[in-house]
Amino acid sequence: MASIELRFLGTGTSQGVPVVACTCSVCRSSDPRDARLRSSALLSVDGATVLIDAGPDLRQQLLRAGTDSIDAVVLTHEHMDHVSGIDDLRALNFHLQRHMDIFGNAATISSVRRMYHYAFAEQRYPGVPDLRLHEIVGDRVNAGGIDLEVITVLHGEMPVLGFRHGAVAYITDAKYITASELDRLRGLDVLVVNALRIKEHPTHFNLSEALAVIAEVAPRKAYLTHISHLMGTTADAAQLLPANVELAYDGQVIRVES
Ligand SMILES: [Zn+2]
Ligand SMILES: [Zn+2]
């Protein structure tokens, strides 16, 4: 029996909510659940913790969660809202006095190496992040001591990685999931899946597409993430959801024995 904890550090789409300069009712909402930093989560299993994605709000997210240790980082894909906070991992390098292992598919690893070229230079400037990049090959990986099943979904044309441990799975930035990968999402207690907004979108599930995936794989409970202000307020969107589905919110913690 493993004790699994998933903590949502951010549940917003690439622009976050509120959106800069927007005055819509969601962006002006006083409900704290409607303030969404860029999507990221901490997955802890029996005391080991991996960070799923390291977007532009990472520093603020780690401060807010009181995080002082991470065993590894797993990246879903190379888009900026998922990788542009990697430099802030150096705070944990200094605190933990060790390098940080970062896992992703080949495209993500090569783009991280390009973006953060100074961290991989022969002569490194003092104080740059100390990162070890690991390419995920195949459909399993051990990251930071946690065994993960790796599920590949499609974000438009781009393959994006989802991660499952036991009865908990986290999927973001999906627009399409093949039948064989859907089969690997059955038997879950908790499925996290992205739902951008009510209307369709070319590269992300909208609400009805996310609900169709949830109905298909039938987790005990599902949480929606990577949410845009166009979803409406958390309170209004709740009216549209089946009983076992809710909009995740920043800071939410889910615990499962699996
Ligand atoms: Zn994204
Ligand atoms: Zn993306």
Side-chain angles (χ1 to χ4, degrees), residues 176-216:
Y176 179 71
I177 309 180
T178 63
S180 59
E181 293 300 77
L182 275 179
D183 279 340
R184 301 176 64 217
L185 292 171
R186 296 185 196 278
L188 292 169
D189 277 334
V190 171
L191 171 65
V192 178
V193 63
N194 59 292
L196 190 73
R197 63 187 190 190
I198 308 293
K199 275 174 45 180
E200 257 196 73
H201 185 273
T203 57
H204 297 86
F205 285 149
N206 67 353
L207 179 60
S208 63
E209 290 166 327
L211 293 180
V213 165
I214 293 164
E216 170 66 30

Side-chain angles (χ1 to χ4, degrees), residues 77 79 81-82 155 173 204:
H77 66 302
H79 283 160
D81 54 322
H82 300 262
H155 185 24
D173 291 61
H204 297 86

Side-chain angles (χ1 to χ4, degrees), residues 14 37 54 64 70 81 87 98 105 110 117 121-122 124 145 149 161 186 188 190 193 216 239 241 244 258:
S14 59
L37 298 178
R64 195 161 72 168
I70 286 170
D81 54 322
D87 193 274
R98 59 170 171 77
N105 67 16
S110 90
H117 57 91
E122 198 108 321
R124 299 190 315 131
E149 295 173 54
L161 304 185
R186 296 185 196 278
L188 292 169
V190 171
V193 63
E216 170 66 30
Q239 310 298 317
L241 303 177
N244 66 330
S258 167

Side-chain angles (χ1 to χ4, degrees), residues 41-117:
L42 289 171
L43 175 68
S44 301
V45 180
D46 291 338
T49 299
V50 292
L51 171 68
I52 306 175
D53 286 333
D57 299 315
L58 184 64
R59 172 179 172 277
Q60 187 183 349
Q61 290 168 327
L62 296 179
L63 286 170
R64 195 161 72 168
T67 306
D68 61 3
S69 181
I70 286 170
D71 296 289
V73 180
V74 293
L75 299 174
T76 59
H77 66 302
E78 68 192 76
H79 283 160
M80 283 296 176
D81 54 322
H82 300 262
V83 303
S84 66
I86 284 174
D87 193 274
D88 283 327
L89 292 168
R90 67 206 161 96
L92 291 175
N93 290 147
F94 304 150
H95 179 68
L96 300 170
Q97 292 287 300
R98 59 170 171 77
H99 69 270
M100 186 61 72
D101 292 305
I102 300 186
F103 296 80
N105 67 16
T108 303
I109 291 303
S110 90
S111 113
V112 167
R113 188 173 276 115
R114 198 166 57 242
M115 284 174 67
Y116 299 97
H117 57 91

